[in-house]
């Protein structure tokens, strides 16, 4: 079947761009990695690389076209053996997610029907604690995060938001959209591009009794604030003999996005989960994002809230409750099974759930655990599952060495060794800095196929 080339998102804030120039013509042979077009955004001119091999069958968007929405099909590639007659077989373009208007969060809850997003539905279901018959609303993860902050800001006047572009620009990823209009510039604060500085200001405010929510445009930039986060936020309660707390949330995207290269793609899950004094949360579904962020804001300890840029547009069912809060430190069994336990969190759940579907076709029923919280880790849920299945596979986008998967494996060995029928297996990102090229980036990340292979290996299939 012909392969569609989609308009890529070349920056975290990009919703559309201009197709400046085609560098390949219809009928030309294309190899993976070939530059086929140039795209202009408001910030730069970028190259579009082919991720598949074949012949450029048809150019769908002519060069010079302005305001092409992200994910719009711009060309079709024919595989070997295909001809122009096969172009009609290309899948119909998916509907694009419409960017929300810059309106207060309260206005977004009006009864008017909401546009449906083309993003994948989060598979995870609501927590068992949700009362039967509770109305569910469909939200993107960015909307769920926004509502969590808005609800906590209405509930507690000490809560405020600060970070780069969170106010006037409505957030680099539109997660803080509408907060400035509702709460004003005193509680939604744009900061200079100096993570060490504004993280320190937030920590000082927390020590004085306020409850800051500090957004990092990416946790890669939080490297500049490590001294503040580790030496001040995480250690002060202990070093002050319990006299001085620090109720603060550091949140923002963590890990790989799409073609933003090594300095914008690192997964810091293992880094932060190593530190006593921090709590580390990494949700996958919209419901968990909302419930856990509300819990994080109320927690008296510093919380690292690791989001994922790829997941922001994903939709899921969120309970319509007056106060939906999920306790930090509790994992959830998203899918029950008896043959192998697959453990993941955040975007790793995407691979885990796809793999579970594939394994089921071969008669292997995988139990999938979404950790949700990395520190404190819910060891009991992991161990009880492994005692049932006898096998375990961990899935993470970060690197294997000293990773979260290594910690999970160690805990299983300590608490469930006698129940294991096979060694614990880890699936992780490859041991290289993240490449920029799309085809190499894909190879550097884990895949559902690798999870399937690992699960079959521990099941001796």
């Amino acid at each position: 079947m012909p392969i569609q080339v989609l308009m890529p998102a070349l920056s975290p804030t990009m919703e559309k761009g201009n197709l400046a120039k085609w560098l390949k013509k219809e009928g030309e042979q294309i190899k993976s990695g070939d530059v086929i077009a140039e795209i202009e955004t408001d910030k730069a001119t970028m190259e579009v690389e082919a991720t598949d091999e074949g012949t450029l069958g048809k150019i769908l968007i002519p060069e010079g076209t302005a305001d092409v929405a992200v994910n719009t099909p711009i060309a079709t590639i024919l595989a070997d053996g295909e001809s122009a007659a096969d172009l009609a077989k290309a899948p119909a373009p998916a509907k694009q997610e419409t960017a929300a208007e810059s309106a207060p969060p309260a206005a977004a809850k009006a009864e008017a029907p909401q546009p449906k997003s083309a993003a994948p539905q989060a598979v995870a279901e609501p927590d068992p604690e949700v009362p039967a018959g509770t109305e569910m609303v469909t939200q993107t993860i960015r909307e769920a995060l926004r509502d969590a902050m808005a609800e906590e800001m209405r509930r507690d006047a000490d809560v405020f938001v600060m970070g780069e572009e969170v106010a006037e620009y409505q957030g680099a990823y539109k997660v803080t959209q509408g907060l400035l209009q509702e709460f004003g510039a005193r509680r939604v604060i744009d900061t200079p591009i100096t993570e060490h500085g504004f993280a320190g200001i937030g920590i000082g405010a927390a020590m004085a009794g306020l409850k800051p929510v500090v957004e990092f445009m990416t946790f890669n930039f939080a490297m500049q604030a490590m001294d503040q986060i580790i030496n001040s936020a995480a250690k002060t309660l202990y070093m002050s003999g319990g006299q001085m707390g620090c109720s603060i949330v550091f949140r923002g995207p963590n890990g790989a996005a799409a073609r933003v290269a090594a300095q914008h793609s690192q997964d810091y899950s293992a880094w932060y989960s190593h530190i006593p004094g921090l709590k580390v949360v990494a949700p996958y579904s919209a419901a968990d994002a909302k419930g856990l962020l509300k819990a994080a804001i109320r927690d008296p300890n510093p919380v690292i809230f690791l989001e994922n840029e790829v997941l922001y547009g994903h939709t899921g069912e969120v309970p319509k409750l007056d106060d939906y809060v999920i306790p930090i430190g509790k994992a959830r069994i998203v899918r029950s099974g008896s043959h192998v336990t697959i453990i993941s969190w955040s975007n790793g759940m995407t691979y885990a759930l796809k793999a579970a579907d594939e394994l089921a076709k071969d008669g292997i029923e995988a139990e999938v655990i979404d950790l949700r919280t990395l520190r404190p880790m819910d060891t009991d849920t992991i161990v009880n599952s492994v005692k049932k299945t006898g096998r375990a596979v961990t899935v993470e986008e970060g690197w294997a060495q000293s990773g979260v998967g290594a910690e999970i494996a160690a805990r299983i060995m300590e608490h469930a060794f006698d129940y294991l029928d096979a060694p614990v297996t880890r699936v992780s990102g490859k041991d290289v800095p993240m490449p920029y090229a799309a085809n190499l980036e894909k190879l550097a990340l884990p895949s559902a196929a690798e999870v399937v292979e690992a699960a079959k290996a521990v099941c001796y299939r």
Side-chain angles (χ1 to χ4, degrees):
M1 180 179 291
I3 301 162
Q4 289 185 337
V5 180
L6 304 180
M7 182 72 167
L10 302 179
S11 74
T13 58
M14 180 177 169
E15 294 178 354
K16 56 188 177 181
N18 304 330
L19 208 162
K21 183 192 302 183
W22 281 103
L23 302 178
K24 295 286 186 178
K25 298 178 181 179
E26 291 183 0
E28 284 194 49
Q29 287 293 119
I30 293 174
K31 295 181 179 179
S32 180
D34 282 356
V35 178
I36 61 174
E38 288 184 355
I39 289 174
E40 293 177 347
T41 69
D42 57 342
K43 296 180 179 178
T45 297
M46 308 289 283
E47 297 175 339
V48 178
E49 291 183 5
T51 57
D52 298 278
E53 297 187 358
T55 303
L56 185 57
K58 187 173 181 61
I59 292 174
L60 303 176
I61 304 294
E63 63 180 41
T65 303
D67 296 335
V68 181
V70 168
N71 288 334
T72 299
I74 59 174
T76 303
I77 294 177
L78 298 172
D80 288 342
E82 292 180 331
S83 66
D86 296 303
L87 290 171
K89 299 178 183 178
K95 294 180 180 178
Q96 300 304 305
E97 179 183 345
T98 304
E101 297 294 329
S102 298
K109 297 182 180 179
E111 294 301 320
Q114 298 296 313
K116 292 184 179 180
S117 170
Q121 292 279 338
V123 177
E125 297 178 0
D127 262 31
E129 292 83 359
V130 176
T134 299
E135 181 183 353
M136 308 297 285
V137 294
T138 301
Q139 287 189 306
T140 63
I141 287 178
R142 64 163 55 86
E143 290 168 342
L145 293 167
R146 178 202 63 196
D147 282 358
M149 288 185 284
E151 289 176 15
E152 293 305 300
M153 292 174 79
R154 296 182 197 117
R155 175 180 174 271
D156 188 342
D158 287 336
V159 179
F160 69 96
V161 176
M162 64 187 299
E164 296 160 357
E165 298 186 347
V166 299
E168 295 291 343
Y169 193 66
Q170 305 289 310
Y173 308 91
K174 303 302 182 241
V175 175
T176 55
Q177 192 161 44
L179 297 185
L180 175 64
Q181 286 83 348
E182 181 174 353
F183 300 102
R186 187 170 179 269
R187 297 182 66 194
V188 185
I189 303 167
D190 277 329
T191 65
I193 304 175
T194 169
E195 286 75 16
H196 182 80
F198 67 74
I201 291 172
I203 292 167
M207 290 178 177
L210 297 178
K211 298 177 180 178
V213 179
V214 177
E215 176 179 309
F216 293 119
M217 193 176 291
T218 160
F219 267 94
N220 294 269
F221 299 162
M223 292 279 282
Q224 306 296 325
M226 276 295 187
D227 178 52
Q228 300 283 14
I229 296 170
I230 307 304
N231 282 326
S232 295
K235 298 178 181 177
T236 295
L237 182 65
Y238 172 79
M239 295 183 72
S240 66
Q243 298 179 75
M244 187 179 293
C246 186
S247 180
I248 187 170
V249 177
F250 298 101
R251 52 154 296 271
N254 169 68
R259 293 190 66 196
V260 289
Q263 294 175 329
H264 295 73
S265 300
Q266 188 164 331
D267 184 344
Y268 290 90
S269 301
W271 282 47
Y272 290 111
S273 64
H274 181 67
I275 306 299
L278 295 178
K279 292 186 177 182
V280 183
V281 179
Y284 164 69
S285 70
D288 289 347
K290 181 176 183 180
L292 286 166
L293 183 54
K294 286 170 68 71
I297 293 171
R298 298 181 190 185
D299 200 287
N301 301 285
V303 179
I304 304 295
F305 199 90
L306 302 174
E307 299 156 13
N308 186 279
E309 183 184 338
V310 174
L311 294 178
Y312 279 142
H314 285 210
T315 58
E317 297 293 305
V318 180
K320 191 175 182 180
L321 297 172
D322 291 336
D323 197 24
Y324 181 60
V325 181
I326 296 174
I328 291 174
K330 181 62 180 172
R332 180 150 61 88
I333 297 175
V334 175
R335 177 179 178 137
S336 295
S338 57
H339 297 139
V340 59
T341 300
I342 302 176
I343 307 145
S344 194
W345 58 95
S346 189
N347 199 38
M349 286 294 295
T350 304
Y351 314 114
L353 290 169
K354 287 180 180 178
D357 288 340
E358 291 300 314
L359 289 166
K361 297 176 183 177
D362 292 329
I364 300 174
E365 292 301 329
E367 182 148 291
V368 181
I369 296 176
D370 182 357
L371 281 185
R372 304 194 294 188
T373 302
L374 304 181
R375 187 183 185 101
M377 186 179 290
D378 186 357
T379 306
D380 288 344
T381 295
I382 298 170
V383 169
N384 289 335
S385 177
V386 173
K387 284 181 177 180
K388 178 175 69 172
T389 65
R391 301 168 175 86
V393 175
T394 68
V395 185
E396 61 188 312
E397 288 194 329
W399 297 309
Q401 179 163 328
S402 308
V404 178
E407 176 64 23
I408 296 169
R411 294 191 187 199
I412 292 172
M413 299 293 278
E414 290 168 2
H415 301 290
F417 178 77
D418 291 337
Y419 294 85
L420 286 173
D421 294 323
V424 178
T425 298
R426 293 177 291 164
V427 176
S428 67
K430 309 307 181 291
D431 197 26
V432 294
M434 184 62 71
Y436 168 74
N439 56 331
L440 297 179
E441 180 181 64
K442 184 177 180 180
L443 293 172
L445 290 168
S447 67
E450 290 173 342
V451 181
V452 169
E453 182 182 1
K456 286 184 176 181
V458 299
C459 290
Y460 304 112
R461 294 282 292 272

